[in-house]
Amino acid sequence: MMSNRACSFAAYGILGLPLAMAALPIYILVPIYYTTQLGLSLSLVGFVLFAARAVDTIQDPWIGQWINHLARRSRLGHALWLACVILIITFAGLWLTTLSGLALAAWLALSLIIIYTAHSVLNIAYLAWGARLATDTATLTRAAGWREGFGLAGVILASTLPAWLVNTAGTTSRQGMAVYSALFAM
């Protein structure tokens, strides 16, 4: 039986799992999926990934300031729920698009920017939450351990589950990623 303190660390740590489940497929599967399944050129997909990441890099400091502002006013919860919903919907849309050509490239760019923004809101708030939990170094270390443990579980799921779902007999890549998106949303 876990103690109340261990339960609170586990409750904190569990968000690391879906955050990792969203991040890894973007870096590993988007280039493969968008080139082999949806027909974009690898150079175009690479450019879109780079541009979306550049936008994310520029916006992160402002997101951090916004998160601090919301936290000081005790309004962070609503923003986090909204970021979760946006991340879930856009992540599914990333894999389930029916567009092609330049419209597909534009959709990829828009989806990635929205996903990166929602992920950043969640991740920055999550790391700030961990810092607020800690009253000493040992508590901070324990909270980080739970977060990283669940994050590692998310990385393992994200690196194995999509491949298994896509390669299951009788399913298309699109169906496999639809199932993965649904599991991610849970």
Side-chain angles (χ1 to χ4, degrees), residues 135-146:
T135 55
D136 56 35
T137 304
T139 306
L140 181 61
T141 302
R142 185 168 288 143
W146 280 92

Side-chain angles (χ1 to χ4, degrees), residues 58-167:
I58 292 167
Q59 73 183 4
D60 274 357
W62 286 302
I63 291 173
Q65 290 176 344
W66 182 61
I67 294 294
N68 282 338
H69 174 77
L70 291 175
R72 283 193 302 271
R73 290 182 164 53
S74 300
R75 294 184 178 185
L76 192 54
H78 297 295
L80 293 178
W81 279 110
L82 181 61
C84 284
V85 169
I86 290 170
L87 181 60
I88 288 167
I89 292 169
T90 311
F91 186 79
L94 180 69
W95 308 107
L96 304 177
T97 182
T98 57
L99 299 171
S100 62
L102 289 179
L104 178 62
W107 172 253
L108 176 60
L110 180 63
S111 295
L112 288 174
I113 290 169
I114 293 169
I115 287 169
Y116 288 154
T117 301
H119 194 277
S120 290
V121 167
L122 290 167
N123 202 39
I124 291 168
Y126 185 41
L127 294 173
W129 176 22
R132 288 189 183 104
L133 283 176
T135 55
D136 56 35
T137 304
T139 306
L140 181 61
T141 302
R142 185 168 288 143
W146 280 92
R147 181 187 66 235
E148 296 304 314
F150 276 108
L152 181 58
V155 166
I156 291 169
L157 283 172
S159 61
T160 58
L161 196 54
W164 180 76
L165 290 168
V166 166
N167 291 311

